[in-house]
Structures are given as C-alpha cells and as structure tokens.
C-alpha cells in the first residue's frame, strides 16, 4: 500500500505544533507558537455571537460575504490609499495560510522557481512543494537581517515566476523599507514576475517603522496578490479568517484552487471580522502600544539574562543568539528548554536551507500577558548556569 505522495516528502510536523505539544506536556510557558493569550476586542466577539444567533450558519459565498469584502477594501483604502473592487479584487480565505497555498497552487507550475526569504515561514515551503515549484531563498542574516539585493538579483533565472514576500517578516522582525521594496519591485517588473505579499503582521510595527504594502509602489498593483488575515491584528488566530487582494485576474486564479480546497469557511466569523476592520484608530494605536511594551519587557529581560537580542521592527517575535550563554544549537536548546526550565521557544534553524545561518538563533513570542513574560524570564534566569555546565 502506498501511504504517502512525493508531495508531502520531508514536510514532517510543523515546528509550531511540535513545540506547543511539548510545552503542554511539560506545562511550560509557551513563548513558541505565535498566538496571543488574551482574546481580541469584545465588540468583535459580540458581532460573532450575533451572527451565530441570526442565521449566519450556512455556506458563505466562495469569495466571502459582501460586507467583509467591502470592509477589506475600505481597510486597504484607509491605511494605504489602495482602490480595489470588492466584487472582483478580493477573496476571503481560510486564514492567510490558505490564501498563500491557493495562490501558489494557482500560479506556480512544476519546475517554476519562487524567490522567498529564508528564514521562511514553514507553510511557504509546503505550498511551493505542493505546487511542484522550487524555492530560491534570499537569506536574511544576523545581525541586521536585511535582504542582500545582489543576492536577490542573482536568484532570478529563466524559470522564476514569483516572489513570495513577507514583511513584517516572521521570524526576524524585519520591516522592509521603501527602498528595499523598490528593489523587489524593480526585479519583479524587469522579469515580469508575480508577487505574493504576505502582510499578516501589517499592523504590528514599532516606533518609526511602518508597513508599506508593495502593491502601493508604481507598477506593482497589477502584479501583486496581497495577503493578510484577522488573526494577528485582532488576536483571533483560531478564527482563520484571511484574505487576498489584487487584480481580478490574479484573485480569480487564486479562487480557482481555493474553491476546491475549502470552498468557504467561518460564515459567522466573517461579519465579525468585517466589524473589526472598521475599528477606530485608537484600537490600532493601543494594540501597538501594548505590544511595544511587551517587546521591550521581553527583549530587555533576555538581554539581562545574557542573550544577544535582535530587537524586532515588527511582528510579535524577538530573535536571540544563544551562544553567549554557552549553547550553540537552537534545535537542541529548544527541545531541552521546556523540560529543564519550563519555557518553550522556536529554533530558527528549521526555517533555513542554510542550516548554519540559523543554528544559534532562537525565536521568542511576546504576544503574551506581561505577568506571563515576567514569569518566563524568571525561569530563564537559571540558563546561564545550565549553559556553563553543558
Ligand atoms: N504568514 C505568516 C508570516 C505567519 O506568521 C502566519 C502565522 N499565523 C501566517 C501566514 C498564517 O496566518 P493564518 O493564521 O491567518 O493562516
Ligand atoms: N504563525 C504562527 C507562528 O509563527 C504559527 C501558526 C501555526 O502554528 N501554523 O508562530
């Protein structure tokens, strides 16, 4: 009996599930998988309850309910000045994950090459593999994790069809500047490439760093599928309401495969996320203020313990180098940490083809309550002694 296809070879179990299971088994504080430990706003929950009680419980249209598609286009206009047709240029998906997978399945043929940052979010690897494509990494290296634009240009071949961009970037926290985005836009235009831009952390930027959608750059709206979701912005990661926006031709292509993956999902949650997207400016400001405080609390604490800390410009993840504490392999470190110290984190290494570039790096999530972060830091204080005894 054949029990697996070539399409799933080497995918294993996602590190997020693995580390969350380990955290649960050992009752460790989970600074691994990126999910908040508090719910999003009450008015959004109330909207979902109303929808559940008022008959929004059957299939939604395959491209999403009209009020959510309109809310998405209003959001893109309000924050970025992008004009989109809610009927043809928006698709609601089962999280950003499905939008990315459907985009890859619909746009990439076997043998086509996709340029993608490494460390890469793990579902990109799976999505490219499902489509039969080949990933061409552009590596973001410590300490600054900026893209090397010569490496980007060198990655393009006659088989390149797409760039899969992610900014703010998970796991490094890099937020691409306008100049960096312009370099990607130049390459995309020169080589006639489609860009799939994963912007799920669009509202999670700190200080002077601001998210700029690549679709706002000249010549890019017509070749970009922009992907986001309600998970991070509104702290409802379990709802899996995502979307893609872009030219009708690309959104239509995405829907061709999306309709046969899930067709549709989350009927009563769609109107609630529509409400959420209309939240006033104070919601977004307060959310960023709170996350900034948690970022600083975690980064300062990790630095005090002795890690080299790379303070993120965006996302809710901080990266550290573990070598100053006497460790050198992030996978070994993260596999032992829950049991030994009672905290879970994510090794960067699993997101690289260039294993050495990620080996000593570990990612910590700070979308957790300040008292939880404080307790995690208290537990981690025993690490310097453990490191020396290794
Ligand atoms: N892209 C990135 C970069 C992510 O970190 C995540 C994690 N949530 C996703 C996509 C998936 O988003 P969703 O939960 O909306 O599917
Ligand atoms: N995006 C989340 C993270 O990076 C994980 C989501 C998942 O488990 N698929 O932690």
């Amino acid at each position: 009996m054949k029990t697996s296809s070539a399409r799933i070879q080497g995918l294993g179990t996602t590190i997020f599930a693995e580390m969350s299971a380990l955290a649960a088994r050992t009752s460790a504080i989970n600074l691994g998988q990126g999910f908040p430990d508090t719910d999003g706003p009450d008015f959004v929950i109330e909207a979902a309850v109303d929808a559940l009680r008022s008959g929004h419980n059957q299939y939604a249209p395959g491209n999403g309910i009209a009020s959510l598609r309109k809310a998405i286009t209003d959001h893109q206009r309000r924050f970025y000045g992008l004009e989109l047709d809610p009927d043809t240029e928006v698709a609601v998906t089962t999280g950003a994950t499905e939008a990315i997978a459907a985009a890859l399945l619909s746009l990439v043929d076997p043998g086509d090459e996709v340029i993608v940052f490494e460390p890469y979010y793990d579902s990109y690897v799976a999505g490219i593999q499902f489509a039969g494509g080949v990933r061409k990494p552009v590596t973001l290296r410590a300490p600054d994790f900026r893209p090397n634009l010569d490496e980007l240009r060198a990655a393009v071949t006659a088989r390149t069809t797409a760039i899969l961009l992610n900014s703010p970037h998970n796991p490094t926290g890099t937020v691409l500047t306008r100049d960096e985005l312009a370099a990607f836009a130049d390459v995309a235009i020169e080589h006639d490439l489609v860009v799939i831009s994963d912007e799920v952390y669009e509202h999670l930027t700190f200080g002077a760093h601001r998210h700029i959608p690549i679709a706002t750059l000249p010549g890019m709206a017509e070749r970009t599928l922009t992907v986001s979701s309600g998970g991070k912005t509104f702290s409802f990661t379990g709802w899996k309401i995502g979307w893609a926006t872009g030219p009708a031709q690309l959104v239509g292509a995405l829907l061709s495969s999306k309709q046969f993956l899930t067709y549709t999902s989350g009927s009563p949650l769609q109107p609630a996320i529509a409400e959420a997207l209309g939240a006033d400016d104070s919601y977004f400001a307060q959310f960023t203020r709170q996350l900034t405080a948690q970022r600083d609390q975690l980064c300062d604490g990790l630095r005090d313990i002795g890690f080299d800390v790379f303070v993120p410009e965006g996302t809710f993840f901080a990266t550290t180098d573990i070598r100053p504490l006497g460790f050198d392999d992030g996978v070994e470190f993260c596999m032992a940490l829950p049991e030994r110290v009672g905290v879970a984190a994510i090794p960067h290494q699993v997101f690289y083809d260039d294993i050495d570039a990620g080996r000593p790096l570990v990612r910590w999530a700070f979308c957790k309550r300040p008292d939880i972060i404080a307790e995690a830091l208290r537990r981690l204080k025993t690490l310097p002694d453990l490191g020396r005894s290794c």
Side-chain angles (χ1 to χ4, degrees), residues 16 32-34 121 170 201 232 317 363:
F16 306 116
Q33 194 174 29
Y121 181 56
N170 177 10
Y201 298 101
K232 321 293 169 186
F317 305 114
R363 188 197 85 173

Side-chain angles (χ1 to χ4, degrees), residues 9 20 136 140 194 240-241 273 280 288 292 297 312 375 384:
Q9 286 316 300
S20 282
K136 283 286 182 165
L140 303 178
V194 64
K240 297 293 279 188
I241 302 295
I273 293 294
D280 54 31
T288 315
T292 306
Q297 180 191 7
E375 174 58 18

Side-chain angles (χ1 to χ4, degrees), residues 16 34 93-100 120-124 165-171 198-201 227-232 236-243 315-317 363:
F16 306 116
T93 56
T94 307
T97 307
E98 187 193 40
I100 294 159
Y120 26 64
Y121 181 56
D122 65 353
S123 84
Y124 301 167
L165 204 62
N166 173 217
S167 176
H169 179 257
N170 177 10
D198 177 352
E199 305 183 4
V200 296
Y201 298 101
V227 172
S228 192
S229 90
K232 321 293 169 186
F236 290 115
T237 60
W239 287 16
K240 297 293 279 188
I241 302 295
W243 50 87
T315 76
F316 43 44
F317 305 114
R363 188 197 85 173

Side-chain angles (χ1 to χ4, degrees), residues 47-98:
V49 172
D50 284 350
L52 277 163
R53 292 199 190 283
S54 61
H56 289 77
N57 295 303
Q58 312 309 328
Y59 296 128
N63 63 345
I65 61 168
S67 66
L68 177 52
R69 283 185 279 111
K70 175 166 185 313
I72 292 165
T73 58
D74 288 349
H75 172 276
Q76 296 304 88
R77 183 185 311 108
R78 170 179 165 195
F79 287 98
Y80 311 121
L82 285 165
E83 289 297 336
L84 293 153
D85 178 345
D87 291 330
T88 58
E89 296 182 323
V90 182
V92 174
T93 56
T94 307
T97 307
E98 187 193 40

